[in-house]
Amino acid sequence: MSNIRKLDNVINNNYNDNKLNTVLNEVLQDIIDYKDGQELNGFSKKLINELFGQLKKRNFIPPVIDIIQVGSTARNTHLKNDYDIDIFVRFEKGTDKELLKNIVLECGKTVIQKLGGKCWVEYAEHPYLSAKVDKYDIDIVPCYKLEWGDKIISAVDRTPLHNEFLINKLKTKYNIELIQDIKLLKKFLKGIGVYGSDLKTKGFSGYLCELLIIYYGGFINLLKESQYWKLGQKIILPDIYKLYNLKDDYEFIDIPNQPLIVYDPTDINRNVAAALGNENFCKFLYYSNLFLKNPSKDYFYDYDAKVAKNINNRDMGELLTLVINRPKNIVEDVIYPQMEKLQNSINVILKEHDFKYIRYGNYADENYCYLSWEFTVYMLPNVHVKVGPPVYYGNRAYQFAEKYDKCFIDGCNVCAFVERKYKTVYELFEDITSNKLNNKIATPKYVVPENAKILNIFKEKYEN
Amino acid sequence: MSNIRKLDNVINNNYNDNKLNTVLNEVLQDIIDYKDGQELNGFSKKLINELFGQLKKRNFIPPVIDIIQVGSTARNTHLKNDYDIDIFVRFEKGTDKELLKNIVLECGKTVIQKLGGKCWVEYAEHPYLSAKVDKYDIDIVPCYKLEWGDKIISAVDRTPLHNEFLINKLKTKYNIELIQDIKLLKKFLKGIGVYGSDLKTKGFSGYLCELLIIYYGGFINLLKESQYWKLGQKIILPDIYKLYNLKDDYEFIDIPNQPLIVYDPTDINRNVAAALGNENFCKFLYYSNLFLKNPSKDYFYDYDAKVAKNINNRDMGELLTLVINRPKNIVEDVIYPQMEKLQNSINVILKEHDFKYIRYGNYADENYCYLSWEFTVYMLPNVHVKVGPPVYYGNRAYQFAEKYDKCFIDGCNVCAFVERKYKTVYELFEDITSNKLNNKIATPKYVVPENAKILNIFKEKYEN
């Protein structure tokens, strides 16, 4: 386990390792299902064989070089009840893109129908085939076969290399332990609500989990080591030095403003943890610390929801929710960043008008986007102090004094008492939903606050 | 007028000098009374003669060297209806302090009684005689006769030197204009509420006014030049270089954290403007600018009160006043700094508890001290976010989480929802007046909030 850094500045290492192991063994019982895994492997092999037969029959080998299974199920690092099967059909470099697409969609469709399933075309950077056969969720993806160090043509070309790298690393004598620890990490991250690199979750991807366990040699070691992490933590797998013939850290490009930087062995300019948000990085450190100190199965099972339930069992501030129609067929990865953008720009306006919230959040279901706030200051008297320039900028202070009637000096600035534009937060939201502030707030394409419904409690209490 | 700096970076110098002169001439009619001035001079001479006769009769000359009139009435730089007469009795250096005091108190008393007035002993650094004869307010002060550059023994020893310096400067061909402009400046500063170096006003002293007019050569020039002042403005009279045989600015001590530094010709380590507060410095720049742009007599007559009346003719926030008993015989110069100290420390507590005010102020009459606030945020819901340490300080975050039940991660910090200690500002003030916060707020000797009365409007509206 040469990957493990030395703990030279120990904070508190008196963890109860027996207790930890007991808890982890209990969790493992819940997340591993050998029978299920064997069934899945059998089905995948059958699928690949059928697909290979179909391609051969139609004389597409070459340009198809091989068909491989990738993803966590290919490496047995998936959690129980995960039936995702990712099949990559690899073509010779230089194959026409249209041809590559058509071959996979056509042959894939034939095979899926033969197996009694349903399929449809999905779009990422390029189209691919998605299918459902029994309980299995299948993706059949065309890509080019690249060698190590080749420049990627499409983002999917990287995936087989990820797979190759991980398969090699997991084929060591620690095989079973590493794979179990990857599953434990995924379950832990899921429990504390930070598993998934989608733009809604902004957490840890499956690939990132596998690299972290490989680098730190195990789940508990990772948790212990993470207690020394700081924002901007860099992780460089020793393999990368060998693969790219590099000598020291200086040869890696700087990736700023990200809490965790894990250089991708298949592309050292890419951060595997790019999707991870600061807050989720910190959540991981925090719950790792709590778990190490007081080991409990709880952290692995909807812990985030339990925390939310507990912290919200209390007296509340004034709650307000903006309910916005969600357009059809717009995916989460588009909707969530747009909700966040809109909410952040509303937050700026709220601050400008002296309203205060202690919490805000957003959520989308099939039909609506919900932007919510919990306010502590939601009503204000009809007076506002407009702060003007310092008096020693001669003309600027004079111009301010000409513009406002009720001027006075506060500290070194000329200020004025003016009427308050919004005396309740409700008035401000009414201007937002009637489009009167649209030059001041971000207006994302699919999350449009015009005509949104304002849900709030205090309106009836205080209006008129 | 070699004192005047060149205006090399002119902001806007298109002032209407005719209009300015018209206004100033009108004001001058109100503030100069030649007849009154002659009467006062006659009375002062009589007083000095009587005092000299008395001292001679009792064989106190020497140690008394001379008797001089000082202060603005001695230089005719006082405003109309100012009947202050300051008489200094100067003794040989080395005279016993007790003797010096007794001589002045005794002989002064005899003279005042002879003139039909009343007198009493006042105390500054040392005792002196204060008296009222007809409309005249008289101080008779003992001091040592110092030469230029002598180390002062008591603060009053400086005053005759101030007088000597000013008398010499005002005995130029600009005599009348300079004296008129000193009066205009005093009247202007009085009008805008910044005349007086007492600790309540924190404004410009009379001596400072005279030095500024001498330095800038006149009232309008001072106002124009002040438009280039910045916080920390230094003013060094050319005479000082001669008097102290200095060559450049580097030889002057640095006096930090003061808005205006005017080196005293009688003591170059002393700032004549030491009492001037930042806000009043800025008020002066601001109203000078307004006056130069739109000359009007208004600025010279209770302008500050008119501004206050205008800016407070509006919708108000929630007003709260703490009414504190004022002990007898404690002078303004003690009470005002103590009120300020108490109010500032209450302001810190208010901020800690998320209350917001847009204005605060204090005032004392004979019986009470009044500390007032105008609040915009004076009620809050029963929830407060306690912000804990960042999660990457391992044990500190853990300790926080052990202490509070409803913890969550916000950004990089562990936070907790807790109950709010004070849900209205009234509850907080009740704890102040019942002494429950006395280890958290300043408790000045003479302005004691215990058992103070809380005057506020919203109490009855919202209690229970």
Side-chain angles (χ1 to χ4, degrees):
Chain A
M1 287 202 255
S2 61
N3 295 351
I4 303 178
R5 290 182 301 142
K6 289 280 178 296
L7 293 178
D8 45 11
N9 55 340
V10 174
I11 298 171
N12 176 356
N13 226 350
N14 300 325
Y15 302 123
N16 184 338
D17 286 334
N18 283 340
K19 180 89 190 282
L20 281 170
N21 284 325
T22 308
V23 167
L24 296 187
N25 282 325
E26 283 174 33
V27 175
L28 275 175
Q29 306 308 314
D30 293 334
I31 57 177
I32 291 178
D33 186 332
Y34 289 108
K35 194 167 147 278
D36 239 23
Q38 282 171 347
E39 265 180 31
L40 187 141
N41 283 340
F43 179 79
S44 299
K45 270 178 194 143
K46 187 176 165 193
L47 182 62
I48 290 173
N49 285 337
E50 288 288 345
L51 196 54
F52 193 82
Q54 196 58 233
L55 288 164
K56 192 157 189 177
K57 189 173 153 192
R58 299 205 197 179
N59 215 15
F60 288 134
I61 298 177
V64 170
I65 300 171
D66 57 12
I67 307 175
I68 53 168
Q69 190 195 349
V70 299
S72 60
T73 48
R75 302 184 288 273
N76 188 28
T77 56
H78 61 295
L79 293 178
K80 192 163 124 180
N81 299 326
D82 173 359
Y83 299 109
D84 286 340
I85 297 175
D86 298 319
I87 304 295
F88 274 53
V89 181
R90 295 202 289 185
F91 288 76
E92 289 170 345
K93 275 187 282 186
T95 311
D96 179 69
K97 265 193 187 166
E98 273 305 293
L99 183 67
L100 180 137
K101 185 189 82 183
N102 291 335
I103 290 172
V104 168
L105 297 187
E106 270 174 46
C107 297
K109 201 176 160 186
T110 310
V111 170
I112 296 298
Q113 281 168 348
K114 194 175 163 193
L115 292 170
K118 287 186 301 180
C119 64
W120 58 95
V121 180
E122 292 262 13
Y123 297 86
E125 202 176 327
H126 297 293
Y128 62 94
L129 197 72
S130 227
K132 183 92 183 171
V133 181
D134 299 334
K135 61 187 170 190
Y136 299 113
D137 298 305
I138 303 155
D139 284 340
I140 303 177
V141 181
C143 73
Y144 294 106
K145 182 164 186 178
L146 300 188
E147 299 306 320
W148 283 87
D150 278 359
K151 200 175 151 65
I152 63 158
I153 299 159
S154 159
V156 292
D157 301 337
R158 228 185 252 122
T159 310
L161 297 178
H162 289 170
N163 193 57
E164 192 183 319
F165 179 82
L166 293 174
I167 289 280
N168 282 328
K169 294 306 294 181
L170 295 173
K171 267 186 199 158
T172 68
K173 58 176 175 172
Y174 300 109
N175 194 349
I176 292 161
E177 285 87 349
L178 287 180
I179 283 172
Q180 286 184 346
D181 279 14
I182 289 168
K183 291 183 190 213
L184 285 170
L185 175 59
K186 286 180 176 179
K187 188 69 180 166
F188 180 75
L189 296 176
K190 227 174 183 170
I192 63 170
V194 301
Y195 182 61
S197 59
D198 55 285
L199 299 180
K200 174 184 171 183
T201 313
K202 290 189 270 182
F204 295 70
S205 69
Y207 179 49
L208 177 58
C209 289
E210 298 187 59
L211 292 181
L212 287 172
I213 292 297
I214 288 167
Y215 183 75
Y216 287 110
F219 176 68
I220 291 300
N221 280 320
L222 164 64
L223 263 50
K224 286 179 179 173
E225 282 274 352
S226 76
Q227 300 308 302
Y228 304 100
W229 286 1
K230 297 278 175 281
L231 279 179
Q233 183 68 36
K234 276 188 189 176
I235 289 172
I236 304 170
L237 282 95
D239 310 81
I240 291 185
Y241 294 100
K242 280 180 246 160
L243 281 166
Y244 294 91
N245 200 20
L246 298 169
K247 294 236 170 57
D248 58 43
D249 299 10
Y250 301 110
E251 300 184 60
F252 291 83
I253 60 154
D254 195 35
I255 300 177
N257 299 325
Q258 307 212 335
L260 178 65
I261 299 120
V262 179
Y263 291 91
D264 188 346
T266 71
D267 179 355
I268 51 167
N269 296 323
R270 180 176 173 266
N271 178 14
V272 181
L276 183 64
N278 274 9
E279 192 163 290
N280 283 338
F281 172 83
C282 290
K283 263 190 173 174
F284 173 66
L285 302 197
Y286 174 67
Y287 288 117
S288 295
N289 186 265
L290 297 195
F291 173 71
L292 289 170
K293 294 224 166 92
N294 289 313
S296 156
K297 275 182 74 173
D298 288 353
Y299 293 97
F300 294 83
Y301 302 92
D302 281 330
Y303 194 71
D304 202 38
K306 281 178 251 165
V307 167
K309 198 176 163 193
N310 176 48
I311 64 174
N312 290 326
N313 180 19
R314 59 177 168 85
D315 286 346
M316 288 275 171
E318 294 292 334
L319 302 171
L320 184 145
T321 300
L322 208 52
V323 184
I324 299 171
N325 282 317
R326 174 177 180 170
K328 300 287 164 213
N329 301 321
I330 306 298
V331 297
E332 309 278 76
D333 269 7
V334 172
I335 286 294
Y336 273 86
Q338 293 199 1
M339 286 199 293
E340 200 166 299
K341 193 178 168 193
L342 175 62
Q343 194 158 26
N344 282 334
S345 80
I346 291 175
N347 288 346
V348 172
I349 302 275
L350 287 169
K351 275 178 200 162
E352 269 176 33
H353 291 281
D354 299 333
F355 296 114
K356 290 254 148 53
Y357 48 84
I358 46 170
R359 209 172 44 122
Y360 71 94
N362 51 60
Y363 166 76
D365 63 20
E366 211 180 319
N367 300 311
Y368 299 103
C369 300
Y370 304 89
L371 275 56
S372 297
W373 287 264
E374 182 180 350
F375 287 100
T376 47
V377 178
Y378 57 95
M379 285 183 79
L380 289 160
N382 185 26
V383 56
H384 171 64
V385 172
K386 188 155 187 84
V387 178
V391 297
Y392 33 76
Y393 293 157
N395 271 354
R396 283 177 54 200
Y398 178 72
Q399 282 154 8
F400 184 89
E402 275 198 315
K403 205 165 153 191
Y404 298 98
D405 172 41
K406 300 185 189 308
C407 285
F408 61 99
I409 301 299
D410 184 39
C412 283
N413 293 73
V414 55
C415 296
F417 287 119
V418 295
E419 298 212 357
R420 185 171 287 281
K421 190 161 182 199
Y422 301 113
K423 285 165 284 298
T424 69
V425 97
Y426 184 75
E427 292 168 19
L428 191 153
F429 275 90
E430 278 200 321
D431 268 11
I432 290 173
T433 55
S434 59
N435 233 357
K436 285 179 190 146
L437 285 171
N438 60 352
N439 57 340
K440 289 198 171 179
I441 58 171
T443 43
K445 194 166 173 190
Y446 298 113
V447 184
V448 180
E450 194 177 353
N451 298 322
K453 198 174 158 193
I454 305 166
L455 279 182
N456 72 321
I457 302 172
F458 71 88
K459 191 198 164 190
E460 282 168 34
K461 266 201 287 184
Y462 300 106
E463 274 278 283
N464 302 316
Chain B
M1 287 204 253
S2 61
N3 295 353
I4 304 179
R5 288 181 305 140
K6 288 281 176 293
L7 294 178
D8 46 9
N9 56 341
V10 173
I11 300 172
N12 174 356
N13 226 347
N14 300 325
Y15 302 123
N16 185 337
D17 284 337
N18 282 340
K19 180 89 190 283
L20 282 169
N21 283 325
T22 308
V23 167
L24 297 187
N25 281 325
E26 282 174 34
V27 175
L28 276 175
Q29 303 310 311
D30 293 337
I31 58 178
I32 290 178
D33 186 332
Y34 289 108
K35 195 169 148 277
D36 239 25
Q38 282 171 346
E39 265 181 30
L40 187 142
N41 281 341
F43 179 80
S44 299
K45 271 181 194 143
K46 189 177 163 192
L47 182 62
I48 290 174
N49 283 339
E50 289 286 348
L51 196 54
F52 193 83
Q54 193 60 231
L55 289 164
K56 190 155 190 177
K57 189 174 154 191
R58 302 208 195 175
N59 216 14
F60 288 136
I61 299 179
V64 170
I65 300 172
D66 57 13
I67 308 175
I68 55 167
Q69 190 195 349
V70 299
S72 61
T73 48
R75 304 183 289 272
N76 189 28
T77 56
H78 61 295
L79 293 178
K80 194 163 123 181
N81 299 328
D82 172 1
Y83 298 109
D84 286 342
I85 296 174
D86 298 319
I87 303 295
F88 274 53
V89 182
R90 297 204 286 186
F91 288 76
E92 289 170 346
K93 276 189 280 189
T95 310
D96 178 70
K97 264 194 189 168
E98 273 305 294
L99 182 67
L100 180 137
K101 182 189 84 180
N102 291 336
I103 290 173
V104 167
L105 296 186
E106 271 176 42
C107 296
K109 197 174 164 188
T110 310
V111 169
I112 295 299
Q113 281 167 349
K114 193 175 163 194
L115 291 172
K118 286 188 299 182
C119 65
W120 58 95
V121 179
E122 293 262 13
Y123 297 84
E125 201 175 325
H126 297 292
Y128 61 94
L129 198 71
S130 226
K132 183 92 183 171
V133 181
D134 299 334
K135 61 188 169 190
Y136 300 111
D137 296 306
I138 303 155
D139 284 341
I140 303 175
V141 181
C143 74
Y144 294 107
K145 183 165 186 177
L146 300 188
E147 299 306 319
W148 282 87
D150 278 358
K151 199 174 152 65
I152 61 158
I153 298 161
S154 160
V156 293
D157 300 336
R158 229 185 252 124
T159 309
L161 296 179
H162 289 169
N163 192 58
E164 191 183 319
F165 179 82
L166 292 173
I167 289 279
N168 281 328
K169 296 305 294 180
L170 296 172
K171 264 186 198 159
T172 68
K173 58 177 174 167
Y174 299 107
N175 194 348
I176 293 162
E177 284 88 349
L178 286 182
I179 284 173
Q180 285 183 347
D181 278 14
I182 288 168
K183 291 183 190 212
L184 284 170
L185 175 59
K186 287 181 176 180
K187 187 72 179 165
F188 179 75
L189 296 176
K190 226 174 183 168
I192 64 171
V194 299
Y195 182 61
S197 59
D198 56 286
L199 297 181
K200 174 185 173 183
T201 312
K202 291 189 268 184
F204 295 71
S205 69
Y207 178 49
L208 177 58
C209 290
E210 298 186 59
L211 291 182
L212 287 173
I213 292 296
I214 287 166
Y215 183 75
Y216 287 110
F219 176 66
I220 290 301
N221 279 319
L222 163 65
L223 262 50
K224 287 179 179 173
E225 283 274 352
S226 76
Q227 299 309 300
Y228 304 100
W229 286 1
K230 299 274 175 282
L231 280 179
Q233 183 67 35
K234 275 188 188 177
I235 289 172
I236 304 170
L237 283 95
D239 310 80
I240 290 185
Y241 293 99
K242 279 181 248 160
L243 280 166
Y244 294 91
N245 199 23
L246 298 171
K247 291 235 169 59
D248 57 44
D249 299 9
Y250 301 108
E251 300 185 59
F252 290 83
I253 60 152
D254 195 36
I255 300 176
N257 300 326
Q258 307 213 336
L260 179 65
I261 299 120
V262 179
Y263 290 91
D264 188 347
T266 71
D267 179 355
I268 52 165
N269 295 325
R270 178 177 175 265
N271 177 15
V272 181
L276 183 64
N278 274 9
E279 191 162 291
N280 284 337
F281 173 82
C282 290
K283 264 190 174 175
F284 173 65
L285 302 196
Y286 174 67
Y287 288 117
S288 295
N289 186 266
L290 298 194
F291 173 70
L292 288 170
K293 293 225 166 93
N294 288 314
S296 154
K297 276 181 75 171
D298 287 354
Y299 294 97
F300 294 83
Y301 302 92
D302 280 329
Y303 193 71
D304 203 36
K306 281 178 252 168
V307 167
K309 200 177 162 192
N310 175 48
I311 64 175
N312 288 327
N313 179 21
R314 60 177 168 85
D315 286 345
M316 289 274 172
E318 295 291 336
L319 302 171
L320 185 147
T321 300
L322 207 54
V323 184
I324 298 170
N325 282 319
R326 175 178 180 169
K328 300 287 166 213
N329 301 323
I330 306 297
V331 295
E332 308 278 75
D333 268 6
V334 171
I335 286 295
Y336 273 86
Q338 294 200 1
M339 286 198 292
E340 203 167 295
K341 193 178 168 192
L342 175 61
Q343 194 158 27
N344 283 334
S345 82
I346 292 175
N347 288 345
V348 172
I349 301 275
L350 287 168
K351 275 177 200 164
E352 270 177 30
H353 291 281
D354 300 333
F355 296 114
K356 289 258 148 50
Y357 49 82
I358 46 171
R359 210 171 43 122
Y360 70 94
N362 52 60
Y363 165 78
D365 62 20
E366 212 180 318
N367 299 313
Y368 298 102
C369 299
Y370 304 89
L371 274 55
S372 296
W373 288 264
E374 181 180 351
F375 286 99
T376 48
V377 177
Y378 57 96
M379 283 183 81
L380 289 162
N382 185 26
V383 54
H384 171 64
V385 172
K386 186 152 188 89
V387 178
V391 295
Y392 32 77
Y393 293 157
N395 272 353
R396 283 177 55 201
Y398 178 73
Q399 282 154 9
F400 184 89
E402 276 199 314
K403 205 165 154 192
Y404 298 99
D405 171 42
K406 298 182 190 309
C407 285
F408 61 100
I409 300 298
D410 185 37
C412 285
N413 294 72
V414 53
C415 297
F417 287 118
V418 295
E419 297 214 357
R420 186 171 286 283
K421 187 161 184 197
Y422 300 113
K423 286 166 282 298
T424 69
V425 95
Y426 184 75
E427 293 168 18
L428 191 154
F429 274 91
E430 277 198 324
D431 269 10
I432 291 173
T433 56
S434 60
N435 235 357
K436 286 181 190 145
L437 285 170
N438 60 352
N439 57 341
K440 289 198 172 183
I441 58 172
T443 41
K445 192 166 175 188
Y446 297 114
V447 182
V448 181
E450 193 176 354
N451 298 323
K453 197 174 158 193
I454 305 167
L455 280 182
N456 71 321
I457 301 173
F458 71 88
K459 190 196 164 191
E460 284 170 31
K461 266 202 285 184
Y462 301 105
E463 276 277 285
N464 301 317

